[in-house]
Amino acid sequence: MMLRDCRDLPVSGADRTALDGYERAATTFARYRTDPLAEIDSVIAAAPDFAMAHCFRAGLMLCSTERAAEPELRRSIEAVEALHPRTTERERGHAIAARAWLEGDFRRAGRLYGEVLARWPRDLLALQLAHQIDFFTGNAAALAERPARCLDAWGDAPGRSYVSGMHAFGLEETDRFP
């Protein structure tokens, strides 16, 4: 049986304990607090087949923008790819986007995370990573537009305030903040 995260998105390879750890790491990352890497590494150690945990770890490596993180980024991507027959389409989309980043095609990585969001607009990780990529690549328009396109799908789902914050940041960056 496949579990669903707190935003009702399916995840593969997780048990309830691992999913709870993933949610804690996601909240930590969304708040830009403490160390989500330590939490997600613990989750992966306990549930090595949890594809979104590997996707999350890859995203953290991607956000570091450091060449020294490339081996760990590659390791996380390869872990998700090795689980391929059992992963969801969304998880595979994350892996493809992270691989584009690893290969140095940063704008393509942003577009690919955007494709994930087009199908699953409540994917907080995809939105946060796309938002970071938009910032890194100077795609100011997308900083406001991407979160705005997702907001309606959120309703009162956990994490909506982070989406609103990303949208507000994008409005400020494009001189459109009311």
Side-chain angles (χ1 to χ4, degrees):
M1 179 173 104
M2 195 169 292
L3 295 177
R4 291 182 169 274
D5 70 13
C6 69
R7 288 160 299 282
D8 200 34
L9 298 172
V11 297
S12 65
D15 60 21
R16 179 50 55 193
T17 302
L19 185 54
D20 290 346
Y22 174 88
E23 297 289 6
R24 281 190 303 276
T27 299
T28 298
F29 184 46
R31 290 179 179 169
Y32 294 100
R33 291 204 172 152
T34 63
D35 185 6
L37 182 59
E39 180 76 39
I40 209 64
D41 280 344
S42 294
V43 168
I44 291 169
D49 291 344
F50 186 3
M52 276 308 294
H54 292 288
C55 293
F56 186 95
R57 190 173 192 285
L60 292 176
M61 297 300 118
L62 176 157
C63 286
S64 79
T65 69
E66 297 291 328
R67 285 220 182 267
E70 284 183 13
E72 292 301 309
L73 174 57
R74 181 180 309 283
R75 185 168 68 98
S76 294
I77 293 167
E78 289 173 353
V80 178
E81 291 171 342
L83 296 169
H84 176 78
R86 297 170 289 185
T87 57
T88 68
E89 186 177 347
R90 180 174 68 98
E91 293 162 340
R92 289 188 294 275
H94 271 267
I96 292 166
R99 181 160 291 284
W101 180 272
L102 179 65
E103 293 171 352
D105 196 342
F106 309 129
R107 293 187 193 284
R108 181 170 177 257
R111 283 192 308 275
L112 290 167
Y113 280 117
E115 289 175 14
V116 171
L117 287 168
R119 299 256 336 258
W120 300 278
R122 287 184 315 211
D123 186 330
L124 183 59
L125 179 61
L127 180 57
Q128 195 164 3
L129 295 174
H131 195 67
Q132 289 291 318
I133 291 168
D134 292 336
F135 182 75
F136 295 154
T137 61
N139 188 352
L143 287 171
E145 293 164 7
R146 198 184 304 267
R149 283 193 302 268
C150 295
L151 268 170
D152 286 342
W154 278 77
D156 63 354
R160 180 185 172 87
S161 61
Y162 304 125
V163 180
S164 295
M166 285 183 252
H167 183 230
F169 176 78
L171 291 172
E172 186 274 329
E173 286 293 300
T174 57
D175 292 323
R176 294 185 289 159
F177 196 77

